[in-house]
Amino acid sequence: MALLEVENLRIELTTRDGTAPVIDDLSFTLEAEETLSFVGESGCGKSMTALALMGLLPEGIGRVAGGHIRFNGEELTTATPARLREIRGNDISMIFQEPMTSLNPVFTVGEQIAEVLRAHQGLSRSAAWDQAVELLDAVRIPNPKGRAGDYPFQMSGGQRQRAMIAIALACQPKILIADEPTTALDVTVQAQIFDLLRDLRRQTGTSIIMITHDMGAVAEMAERMIVMYAGRQAEIGPVEQIIDHARHPYTQGLISCVPHIQAVLTDDRPDLVEVPGIVPSLREFGKDQCLFASRCAHVTQTCLDARPPQKAFSAGQIADCWHAEAF
């Protein structure tokens, strides 16, 4: 049995224009000690999926309208708020996208880590503080005993991100969700964060769901990937398989957008390829057609008339495209 099973998940948001399905019929699994990456442009539903897994959909606006989320066989879509609080932070934890806005500015970093340990592990104040210092050391923050007393504004962007990782790993969760963990960090710090996550996965056995728009990060970190578009799965499968032979035009576009150093070093530099157009508005989500059709160079009338089926290929690769066999 997979550690996490998501089956036919549908998430709806209430907007001024009515109800819109921001996640539409999404299914995937996460195995123990696996790194699975969600990739796609902003507004495709990656972070909304993560919030649903954490039970943190915006109250009164977002809801799970269908499908299942099972953690170790336990159904989370019908779990009580108290049970979700037990799981959240303890078994499933999340590194949020921007540490400066996610960390509380009026509490020290050490206090914020210790709070998690007191709430979920029942540690005393002094024991939780000692454990917080150990966690800062584990995420390679120099002088952890001294930095535990610092406020978030006293740390650099990379150190704040490491502090967020320490909070997320405080209770040794079985699943760690990393939502754009290297946003706004320079490439050197990005590499250090990736190395840290890999080392922590090896040491703790934690499974990782990484959310990103960076195909380079996907290739470096994940074994499998899910390409999201307009709230739907466009393609899923092993990272190497998809990068070598993408079956969906949107996936091909994302891969083509990545500049290659060898091309840059040659005299014949091709223009940087881009995916034309933009992600459709929420009003378009849920339509019974291919939602990528307006941006696709291979569109046919069939794409406009009906939602594309899932087509399976070798090594577990699946593409939601009428013309996937042609690519």
Side-chain angles (χ1 to χ4, degrees):
M1 182 176 64
L3 180 62
L4 180 71
E5 297 175 284
V6 174
E7 181 182 354
N8 304 123
L9 182 64
R10 182 181 176 93
I11 301 172
E12 294 180 348
L13 284 185
T14 301
T15 71
R16 288 176 294 182
D17 298 320
T19 301
V22 291
I23 299 296
D24 190 7
D25 197 27
L26 177 65
S27 298
F28 66 91
T29 60
L30 177 69
E31 303 294 333
E33 300 185 36
E34 180 185 25
T35 298
L36 173 68
S37 183
F38 280 76
V39 64
E41 296 166 280
S42 296
C44 285
K46 307 183 301 297
S47 295
M48 193 62 66
T49 302
L51 293 177
L53 298 179
M54 294 286 290
L56 291 175
L57 291 174
E59 189 174 353
I61 300 175
R63 70 185 185 98
V64 176
H68 303 277
I69 302 173
R70 301 185 186 97
F71 170 67
N72 267 342
E74 179 181 357
E75 181 63 58
L76 299 187
T77 60
T78 56
T80 64
R83 177 58 181 148
L84 288 175
R85 283 193 296 271
E86 291 177 0
I87 294 173
R88 189 166 50 237
N90 201 34
D91 294 312
I92 305 177
S93 196
M94 186 168 177
I95 305 170
F96 291 94
Q97 186 167 354
E98 177 46 62
M100 193 60 190
T101 56
S102 300
L103 293 168
N104 193 320
V106 301
F107 291 99
T108 67
V109 168
E111 288 174 322
Q112 295 182 62
I113 300 173
E115 180 184 14
V116 176
L117 294 163
R118 294 199 304 271
H120 290 289
Q121 304 291 317
L123 299 184
S124 65
R125 187 172 293 274
S126 61
W129 181 266
D130 291 341
Q131 184 67 30
V133 173
E134 291 181 16
L135 283 163
L136 289 176
D137 184 48
V139 297
R140 304 172 190 168
I141 289 184
N143 183 25
K145 191 171 183 179
R147 300 313 299 270
D150 284 353
Y151 291 89
F153 76 89
Q154 295 175 292
M155 290 185 161
S156 68
Q159 289 172 334
R160 286 195 294 268
Q161 192 63 280
R162 291 169 189 268
M164 285 292 299
I165 294 173
I167 292 172
L169 293 173
C171 298
Q172 296 187 344
K174 295 179 176 64
I175 298 174
L176 175 65
I177 302 172
D179 189 358
E180 301 279 7
T182 57
T183 297
L185 301 179
D186 62 60
V187 291
T188 302
V189 178
Q190 286 182 29
Q192 293 171 354
I193 295 297
F194 288 150
D195 287 342
L196 174 60
L197 289 174
R198 278 193 294 265
D199 289 345
L200 291 171
R201 189 185 69 166
R202 282 195 297 267
Q203 295 165 12
T204 64
T206 298
S207 299
I208 298 175
I209 295 176
M210 189 175 73
I211 297 171
T212 183
H213 59 268
D214 184 349
M215 293 297 290
V218 174
E220 185 174 350
M221 285 293 297
E223 288 95 39
R224 286 194 304 133
M225 64 189 289
I226 299 176
V227 181
M228 295 284 293
Y229 186 76
R232 296 176 181 172
Q233 169 192 304
E235 192 161 2
I236 183 172
V239 170
E240 186 174 349
Q241 172 81 5
I242 289 179
I243 289 179
D244 287 345
H245 199 169
R247 294 284 186 172
H248 197 287
Y250 180 59
T251 310
Q252 294 172 351
L254 292 177
I255 295 171
S256 298
C257 286
V258 180
H260 297 280
I261 187 65
Q262 291 180 342
V264 172
L265 293 175
T266 63
D267 293 331
D268 184 21
R269 301 183 184 180
D271 293 335
L272 188 62
V273 180
E274 64 178 25
V275 181
I278 60 174
V279 177
S281 70
L282 281 178
R283 299 186 190 93
E284 306 297 316
F285 281 37
K287 284 190 173 181
D288 193 20
Q289 65 176 75
C290 175
L291 297 178
F292 187 64
S294 63
R295 308 174 67 184
C296 183
H298 309 282
V299 63
T300 64
Q301 188 60 44
T302 304
C303 307
L304 301 173
D305 290 342
R307 179 170 176 165
Q310 292 190 343
K311 297 186 178 181
F313 300 90
S314 61
Q317 182 181 8
I318 298 173
D320 292 38
C321 177
W322 283 107
H323 311 294
E325 294 94 340
F327 302 124

